[in-house]
Amino acid sequence: QVQLVESGGGLVQAGGSLRLSCAASGRPSSIYSMGWFRQAPGKEREFVAAHGRISGNILYADSVKGRFTISRDNSKNTVTLQMNSLKSEDTAVYYCAVRMAMSIATAPHQYQYWGQGTQVTVSS
């Protein structure tokens, strides 16, 4: 089992920045990949970014590329999502997720463990 706890959500004006953090516990972080997803009201959960076990194995959704940065610290079992130049369409509940595999993936069903989510609201 892997337990995930997100933090760092909140309300920000368009153009601002937020930093989300996710702390994992239960199993060594070196054995899994980690990702961020988001879900806006009335919409399906969508992929945002993922970081594989190996440094440099990173993938972003086109909608956030160049604005968001994912990073992880295996020594602390954490993954962070730095979000800059936020837009109103970034408003959603953001979820941290763990995939028990080396490779990264973009579909929610490919992730086995999920955090409780943290709300991000961007006002225009």
Side-chain angles (χ1 to χ4, degrees):
Q1 287 280 36
V2 177
Q3 294 78 43
L4 302 170
V5 178
E6 302 106 333
S7 61
L11 173 65
V12 65
Q13 290 187 333
S17 299
L18 280 175
R19 183 179 179 89
L20 305 182
S21 295
C22 176
S25 62
R27 297 186 70 175
S29 63
S30 60
I31 66 172
Y32 49 71
S33 300
M34 303 184 77
W36 286 96
F37 290 76
R38 65 187 182 187
Q39 188 166 18
K43 296 187 177 181
E44 294 186 351
R45 191 166 299 188
E46 66 173 2
F47 170 77
V48 175
H51 195 305
R53 285 178 54 189
I54 300 173
S55 178
N57 188 13
I58 293 173
L59 185 66
Y60 295 98
D62 288 343
S63 59
V64 307
K65 201 173 294 183
R67 300 187 298 122
F68 291 10
T69 302
I70 187 172
S71 59
R72 68 185 285 179
D73 185 339
N74 286 339
S75 67
K76 298 180 179 179
N77 294 339
T78 59
V79 64
T80 61
L81 185 69
Q82 177 66 43
M83 305 185 294
N84 299 328
S85 302
L86 283 161
K87 306 175 181 180
S88 57
E89 51 263 45
D90 294 319
T91 295
V93 176
Y94 283 70
Y95 296 91
C96 174
V98 157
R99 167 174 161 80
M100 302 305 291
M102 290 182 61
S103 61
I104 54 178
T106 61
H109 75 268
Q110 295 174 299
Y111 287 76
Q112 289 75 45
Y113 299 100
W114 293 83
Q116 81 286 355
T118 184
Q119 177 70 46
V120 171
T121 303
V122 183
S123 63
S124 56

